Amino acid sequence: MSAAPMVVAHDVHKYYGAYHALKGISMEVAAGEVMCIVGPSGSGKSTFLRCINQLERTDSGAIWLGGELCGYRRKGDELRELSDSDIARQRLSSGMVFQRFNLFGHMTALQNIMEGPVVVQKRKRAEVRDEAEALLQRVGLAGKAGAYPGELSGGQQQRVAIARALAMRPKLMLFDEPTSALDPELVGEVLSVMKDLAVSGMTMIVVTHELGFAREVSNRVVFMDQGQVLECGTPAEVLTHPQHARTREFIAAILS
Amino acid sequence: MTFPASSSSLPASPFAVDHLKIVPRRFYGRWLSAALILLVFAFIINAFVHGQIEWKIVAQFMTAKVIMHGLLNTILMTIYAMTIGILLGVIFAVMVMSPNPMLRAIAGFYIWFFRGTPLLLQMLLWFNLALVFPMMGIPGVFEARTVDLITPFIASLLGLGIGQGAYTAEVVRGGILSVDNGQTEAAKAIGMTRLTALRRIILPQSMRVIIPPIGNEVISMVKLTSVASVIQFSEILHNAQTIYFANARVIELLIVATVWYLAVVTVFSIGQHFLEKAFARNQRSTNRPRVARVNAAVVAAVAIPPAPDGVKS
């Protein structure tokens, strides 16, 4: 693993009104590492992921992404809030895949993938098109370039969404329960695309309930509960020999 | 145990009804009411034919030059005022939803003021602007007498267009709210700013919700232009009045105006129908728009087209 971590979270807190959603999350993710975050719903794992991508603001603490502080610019002893366009630029280093896919409904699969590179990164349309077609092939949907999201199954939509995120050439991929909204028989096709991505060396943070995937693919597993990290370690440490009673309960409940 | 291959080999059952003849419902009430309505219609038509109306005069003025001129002005004013209204509507809807409190306040004031005062009053205010500001322009660059600038045409355009913008802003806001928040998040996740996301992702998908009420407002606008007759704008009603002040054929000329309004509205309605169909076709998404906090009437006005065969959701 390289020296500087790709992601550093330091004592991240998040409140929704009086509700303390994240109670001091600290972790590091190295480049090329695949980290799975598991835990019961309401444990703050999705919130934390959304903080990394600045879809949510943190209330205190810091998140560093590729050596850059998220959301602020340091000037002497001050932290100055970044403008919308600076935040948009920071988001380019990470790709996000959502539970509900969120494909753009008025665009075909190919247009969905090309939108970011063409409109945001201002890359040449012809070049982007070739790359987008290659990405569709990579996620096993070469024949679906002209299909609208409404004409695709959930698993196909999620694979297009992964291709859309990859088209931005991110350094880090964030997955927010990517298979939770899928019919059970469609989960496998999405997980296999994610597995290929992990093997190719992409840095990934995956919020998931798929313990099998976590065990097989991830380098580290984090267990979160009530806004805190309870355990962090190799899949064997956390999933096979959990230290906390809460972790054991959760794993038993999922496997039963 | 064996199962019969088809129903024909089923044993005769007391529950089988296929051998009986189906007699369709007979709608006696419909026939009766239709007959009654036709009778009433015949009576009304008969009354008008024998009433004190010179139908020859109606026919004579139907295509009179002054009436044609008024018709053209009505149509042009509808198009110009709606264009201004839609432009202002989109701008102020985006402003009212902005995180910037100053922009929100300005847009909120605009909508409050122009929805809160009668159109007729607004037009009179524009028309009489010269009483407040005798001269207008940028000092040193260009200046003109306000009475010369604010013609009946300009005063009508300002009154209708700016007033319309306040209503259209609410329609556009409803449309923007109808698009799932996940679309905005996905747009941000690929590095779009708020305005780019609005332009590229949100507004195109809100069109399906926005178009039907806008079509409705175009039709309202055709008729609202008649209010401009009060400030001497020579639209069709104003011109019809000018004629009957001279020849005293009041009803005949009002009928002429009625026929033309109905004709224009009919043509616009057909256009609206095709526009709605076109937008329904382009939106083949089953990314079901979440309908949150949207004007219920707006939502009711939008029929979601059935998904084509073979679509998985």
Side-chain angles (χ1 to χ4, degrees), chain A:
Chain A
M1 301 273 156
S2 62
M6 176 77 76
V7 183
V8 181
H10 178 75
D11 197 25
V12 173
H13 286 262
K14 172 76 188 170
Y15 293 85
Y16 291 108
Y19 178 66
H20 201 168
L22 296 179
K23 299 170 183 166
I25 304 289
S26 296
M27 64 173 75
E28 290 184 6
V29 181
E33 196 178 12
V34 176
M35 175 184 270
C36 282
I37 306 180
V38 298
S41 49
S43 59
K45 47 196 197 313
S46 287
T47 303
F48 176 62
L49 204 67
R50 292 162 61 83
C51 285
I52 297 176
N53 207 14
Q54 302 191 58
L55 288 175
E56 304 281 350
R57 284 183 62 139
T58 57
D59 289 305
S60 70
I63 295 175
W64 297 75
L65 220 160
E68 209 179 335
L69 179 60
C70 289
Y72 299 93
R73 190 181 53 224
R74 185 168 173 177
K75 186 145 194 206
D77 284 343
E78 292 174 348
L79 283 182
R80 302 208 168 160
E81 281 184 15
L82 291 181
S83 68
D84 279 357
S85 53
D86 284 333
I87 289 175
R89 183 187 51 75
Q90 282 192 336
R91 284 201 186 99
L92 291 179
S93 54
S94 60
M96 179 112 176
V97 175
F98 298 88
Q99 185 179 350
R100 296 284 325 275
F101 332 131
N102 296 348
L103 288 182
F104 304 134
H106 60 309
M107 297 181 183
T108 63
L110 194 71
Q111 288 169 335
N112 262 281
I113 299 170
M114 291 174 64
E115 181 71 7
V118 170
V119 173
V120 180
Q121 295 176 326
K122 313 253 186 268
R123 280 155 56 189
K124 285 203 186 71
R125 187 168 275 276
E127 166 204 315
V128 171
R129 173 180 290 271
D130 292 345
E131 206 175 299
E133 278 165 358
L135 278 167
L136 268 179
Q137 190 154 20
R138 185 169 166 192
V139 299
L141 293 171
K144 295 289 185 185
Y148 283 86
E151 299 164 340
L152 298 172
S153 73
Q156 292 171 331
Q157 288 191 54
Q158 193 62 298
R159 286 186 281 155
V160 173
I162 293 172
R164 175 176 69 180
L166 289 175
M168 304 298 290
R169 297 174 178 165
K171 289 184 280 186
L172 165 73
M173 284 287 284
L174 306 169
F175 293 84
D176 186 7
E177 302 200 27
T179 57
S180 300
L182 295 178
D183 292 341
E185 56 173 341
L186 304 178
V187 168
E189 61 189 59
V190 172
L191 290 183
S192 103
V193 166
M194 289 167 64
K195 208 183 292 177
D196 289 348
L197 195 57
V199 169
S200 76
M202 176 62 77
T203 313
M204 293 162 62
I205 303 180
V206 185
V207 169
T208 185
H209 290 300
E210 297 291 333
L211 298 189
F213 175 83
R215 202 185 302 271
E216 193 183 340
V217 178
S218 62
N219 305 100
R220 269 194 302 158
V221 175
V222 168
F223 178 77
M224 280 181 71
D225 188 35
Q226 298 186 352
Q228 285 172 310
V229 172
L230 282 195
E231 298 200 39
C232 177
T234 63
E237 284 167 354
V238 177
L239 299 176
T240 316
H241 307 291
Q243 301 300 306
H244 277 74
R246 186 72 191 91
T247 319
R248 282 196 288 272
E249 259 173 58
F250 175 76
I251 292 169
I254 281 208
L255 294 181
S256 66

Side-chain angles (χ1 to χ4, degrees), chain B residues 65-76:
Chain B
K65 207 173 162 203
V66 184
I67 294 293
M68 289 292 102
H69 181 72
L71 178 66
L72 184 67
N73 277 343
T74 294
I75 294 170
L76 288 179

